[in-house]
């Protein structure tokens, strides 16, 4: 039995009937590399069953405490049915990218059954007509609730299911005996003890970070009172329906690194934000909507300790915000401005203590987290149209720089169909793998009726930045060549 932390539980409390905080990881494979050139569904089922022990949440379901007096527990599901969780479907012909994006969006939009373990897996065959994929490719779509796992923990689990060679791994099913869940009286007794202990731990964390929060809050209140609130109200701060849209682009990672080198100290994340900013500038201009003042992005930060917290469950994240400078047309000027903004945001985050803020949410008592979640929902999850704190989200989940294989099938790419909610309707997920940078978008048709066009805006923004970076680096390259020629002549 494992209890959710305050941060884990908050994702559960933020659920709405039409907008759950579950995400969908997308893995696409070329099965021609597998032994015999084929991966059968029954083999996938057996392999998943043999590796359920890698993450406890695979066989655990929610057990909620009466009146939400304490955080929910994850307890063994005595009636666990793998065939319910792992499903097999196929795309209709011709099996193109648009059909796949629609299918992934539909799966992502459906809420999980909270009476069962909080995950589902879909094996999707028939990707036969996708330009950048070999014919006969298949996908595995893994859907999990954010209460169970964050992006970093989920990818850690993912890599454990893969190998670095196409040889099929040996595996054997492990025996499992479910533990009995505690009764109601035991839960209430635990709740009393946990509330007292959480209050003490939260008080200690608040004593450390409280004065810095108060100072920041006073500054933000002063800015808001003087009318200097920097975040515009846009189409992306509206309400969501029950449907989702998904699309994306694949960029050469080497080109992204070359672009970042055009601005001193800029990072890959800065570069991605600049690409997104340029794309949204194009998109909004096409809709005859304002690009000034700049749209502001909400950016999750992984706060795990590298060695001690590489686990496959739970959430350990903080946040920062930064403008993506949709108001700047020049690509490199936009990148420089974003780098300056993210540097300042990181300084604020460090001053407050991202790790300490994370600990504060983890240690706060359950009723406090529940109330905070309800207030967030009333405010549009941070996207209240009357006073928005951000317009979009950009989240980065890095992967390995080398190829991986699943039962011998080569992983071609992985990406994310991200959760969205009211006031939080535009999500860009960034993943990297084997020399590729994949930028995908998730939204709703009411907000983005043309996701393929927005994906095209991402491509054009990237090409603009690539040309600008090449032009800026040519003079420096000519100077280096001239010096080398001079030395050779001497």
């Amino acid at each position: 039995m494992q209890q959710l932390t305050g941060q884990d539980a908050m994702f559960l409390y933020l659920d709405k009937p039409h907008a759950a905080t579950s995400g969908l990881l997308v893995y696409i494979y070329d099965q021609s590399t597998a032994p015999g050139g084929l991966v059968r569904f029954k083999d996938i089922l057996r392999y998943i069953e043999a590796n359920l022990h890698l993450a406890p949440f695979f066989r655990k379901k929610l057990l909620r405490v009466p009146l939400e007096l304490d955080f929910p527990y994850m307890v063994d599901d005595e009636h666990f049915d793998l065939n319910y969780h792992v499903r097999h479907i196929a795309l209709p012909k011709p099996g193109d990218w648009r059909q796949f994006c629609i299918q992934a969006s539909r799966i992502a939009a459906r809420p999980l059954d909270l009476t069962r373990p909080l995950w589902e897996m879909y094996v999707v065959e028939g990707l036969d007509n996708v330009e950048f994929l070999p014919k006969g490719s298949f996908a595995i779509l893994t859907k999990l609730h954010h209460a169970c796992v964050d992006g970093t923990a989920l990818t850690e689990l993912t890599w454990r299911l893969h190998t670095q060679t196409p040889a099929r791994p040996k595996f054997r099913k492990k025996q499992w005996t479910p533990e009995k869940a505690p009764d109601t009286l035991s839960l209430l007794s635990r709740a009393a003890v946990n509330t007292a202990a959480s209050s003490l731990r939260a008080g200690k964390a608040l004593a450390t970070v409280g004065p810095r929060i108060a100072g920041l809050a006073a500054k933000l209140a002063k800015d808001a009172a003087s009318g200097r609130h920097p975040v515009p109200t846009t189409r992306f701060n509206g309400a969501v329906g029950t449907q989702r849209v998904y699309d994306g682009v694949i960029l050469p990672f080497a080109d992204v690194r070359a672009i970042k080198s055009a601005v001193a100290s800029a990072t890959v994340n800065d570069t991605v934000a600049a690409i997104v900013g340029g794309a949204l500038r194009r998109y909004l201009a096409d809709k005859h909507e304002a690009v000034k003042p700049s749209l502001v992005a909400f950016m999750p930060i992984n706060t795990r300790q590298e060695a001690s917290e590489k686990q496959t469950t739970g959430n350990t994240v903080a946040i920062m915000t930064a403008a993506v400078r949709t108001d700047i047309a020049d690509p490199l000027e936009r990148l420089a401005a974003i780098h300056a903004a993210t540097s300042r945001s990181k300084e604020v985050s460090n001053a407050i203590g991202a790790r300490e803020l994370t600990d504060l949410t983890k240690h706060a008592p359950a009723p406090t987290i529940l109330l905070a979640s309800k207030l967030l929902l009333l405010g549009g999850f941070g996207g209240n149209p009357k006073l928005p704190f951000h317009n979009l989200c950009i989240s980065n989940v890095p992967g390995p720089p080398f190829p991986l294989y699943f039962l011998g099938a080569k992983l071609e790419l992985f990406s994310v169909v991200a959760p969205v909610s009211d006031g939080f309707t535009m999500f860009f997920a960034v993943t990297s793998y084997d020399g590729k940078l994949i930028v995908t978008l998730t939204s709703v048709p009411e907000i983005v009726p043309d996701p393929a066009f927005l994906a095209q805006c991402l491509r054009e923004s990237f090409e603009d930045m690539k040309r600008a970076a090449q032009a800026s680096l040519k003079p420096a390259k000519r100077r280096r060549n001239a010096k080398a020629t001079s030395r050779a002549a001497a």
Side-chain angles (χ1 to χ4, degrees):
M1 184 174 72
Q2 181 179 357
Q3 189 172 27
L4 299 184
T5 67
Q7 196 174 76
D8 298 337
M10 180 173 282
F11 287 107
L12 191 66
Y13 300 149
L14 287 171
D15 270 353
K16 295 182 179 181
H18 65 291
T21 56
S22 53
L24 187 75
L25 259 73
V26 177
Y27 302 90
I28 301 181
Y29 300 92
D30 171 16
Q31 64 178 332
S32 67
T33 61
L38 185 66
V39 177
R40 298 182 182 277
F41 177 71
K42 65 178 182 181
D43 293 332
I44 294 175
L45 204 63
R46 288 177 53 240
Y47 187 59
I48 295 300
E49 186 176 26
N51 286 283
L52 290 172
H53 64 283
L54 291 179
F57 65 80
F58 272 142
R59 286 193 179 105
K60 292 185 182 293
K61 65 179 181 179
L62 280 173
L63 177 62
R64 305 187 87 139
V65 178
L67 303 177
E68 301 292 352
L69 293 175
D70 201 0
F71 298 128
Y73 289 84
M74 301 297 290
V75 299
D76 288 345
D77 182 3
E78 297 178 0
H79 306 290
F80 176 75
D81 179 9
L82 183 65
N83 290 296
Y84 169 83
H85 291 277
V86 184
R87 306 169 187 185
H88 190 194
I89 59 178
L91 292 180
K93 292 186 180 300
D96 58 28
W97 179 247
R98 177 178 172 275
Q99 290 173 310
F100 176 74
C101 289
I102 291 173
Q103 185 62 260
S105 300
R106 288 173 177 168
I107 293 171
R110 292 195 291 263
L112 288 163
D113 183 351
L114 299 186
T115 66
R116 295 175 178 267
L118 303 181
W119 67 280
E120 295 171 355
M121 184 177 288
Y122 295 80
V123 179
V124 184
E125 292 187 350
L127 280 78
D128 296 328
N129 195 32
V130 180
E131 180 182 352
F132 54 88
L133 294 174
K135 187 175 181 179
S137 295
F138 71 94
I140 294 181
L141 309 182
T142 306
K143 185 176 182 179
L144 297 105
H145 199 287
H146 217 321
C148 292
V149 64
D150 63 20
T152 302
L154 186 54
T155 52
E156 178 68 19
L157 168 65
T158 299
W159 309 142
R160 293 186 190 182
L161 292 172
H162 289 76
T163 58
Q164 294 185 33
T165 66
R168 290 206 176 189
K170 296 180 180 179
F171 55 89
R172 184 172 57 184
K173 179 182 175 181
K174 296 182 181 294
Q175 293 299 318
W176 174 72
T177 304
E179 294 181 357
K180 188 176 180 181
D183 57 28
T184 301
L185 183 60
S186 176
L187 290 175
L188 292 174
S189 299
R190 289 169 181 261
V193 174
N194 288 343
T195 298
S198 296
S199 298
L200 291 174
R201 291 194 297 267
K204 182 179 178 181
L206 187 60
T208 303
V209 75
R212 283 172 280 180
I213 293 177
L216 179 62
K219 181 181 181 301
L220 293 175
K222 182 179 178 182
D223 288 347
S226 62
R228 292 200 300 269
H229 194 68
V231 184
T233 299
T234 70
R235 63 166 52 215
F236 305 123
N237 298 104
V240 302
T242 58
Q243 300 180 58
R244 302 291 178 264
V245 295
Y246 162 78
D247 210 321
V249 298
I250 303 173
L251 309 175
F253 211 152
D255 289 345
V256 175
R257 290 195 184 97
I259 292 170
K260 85 175 181 64
S261 300
V263 173
S265 303
T267 66
V268 169
N269 286 347
D270 295 335
T271 306
V272 171
I275 293 170
V276 169
L280 290 175
R281 178 183 173 86
R282 275 180 161 76
Y283 188 80
L284 292 175
D286 181 78
K287 308 300 180 189
H288 305 289
E289 296 177 16
V291 296
K292 297 180 181 180
S294 173
L295 274 64
V296 174
F298 169 102
M299 301 178 182
I301 305 169
N302 174 33
T303 61
R304 292 177 186 272
Q305 302 295 328
E306 287 299 320
S308 62
E309 293 187 358
K310 278 198 171 183
Q311 56 193 31
T312 56
T313 59
N315 291 270
T316 309
V317 294
I319 60 169
M320 73 173 189
T321 59
V324 293
R325 303 318 301 261
T326 53
D327 56 330
I328 298 178
D330 183 89
L332 296 188
E333 286 182 18
R334 187 187 317 122
L335 176 55
I338 287 172
H339 174 59
T342 56
S343 297
R344 285 194 300 271
S345 190
K346 287 172 184 174
E347 287 172 6
V348 171
S349 179
N350 291 336
I352 297 173
R355 180 72 187 190
E356 292 163 339
L357 285 175
T358 302
D359 289 343
L360 189 59
T361 60
K362 284 188 172 186
H363 298 320
T368 303
I369 295 295
L370 178 60
L371 177 61
S373 302
K374 300 303 180 186
L375 292 174
L376 274 174
L377 289 176
L378 288 174
F381 199 6
N384 187 338
K386 295 182 179 178
L387 191 66
F389 293 107
H390 54 78
N391 309 112
L392 63 139
C393 180
I394 303 175
S395 181
N396 184 12
V397 182
F402 45 81
L404 292 176
Y405 299 84
F406 179 83
L407 291 176
K410 183 183 178 184
L411 177 64
E412 291 291 330
L413 68 88
F414 85 99
S415 67
V416 179
V417 186
V420 293
S421 187
D422 294 333
F424 196 84
T425 66
M426 187 71 256
F427 200 120
F428 291 93
V430 185
T431 54
S432 56
Y433 162 70
D434 192 23
K436 307 167 187 172
L437 191 79
I438 303 101
V439 183
T440 58
L441 62 101
T442 307
S443 189
V444 294
E446 298 89 345
I447 304 295
V448 181
D450 45 4
F453 173 62
L454 182 49
Q456 181 60 30
C457 290
L458 284 168
R459 293 187 191 92
E460 292 173 0
S461 177
F462 165 72
E463 291 297 334
D464 279 355
M465 295 200 69
K466 182 179 174 181
R467 285 191 293 268
Q470 289 172 341
S472 71
L473 293 172
K474 280 180 181 178
K477 186 176 181 180
R478 282 197 296 267
R479 286 194 296 271
R480 288 195 299 270
N481 290 340
K483 288 179 180 179
T485 302
S486 177
R487 284 196 298 270

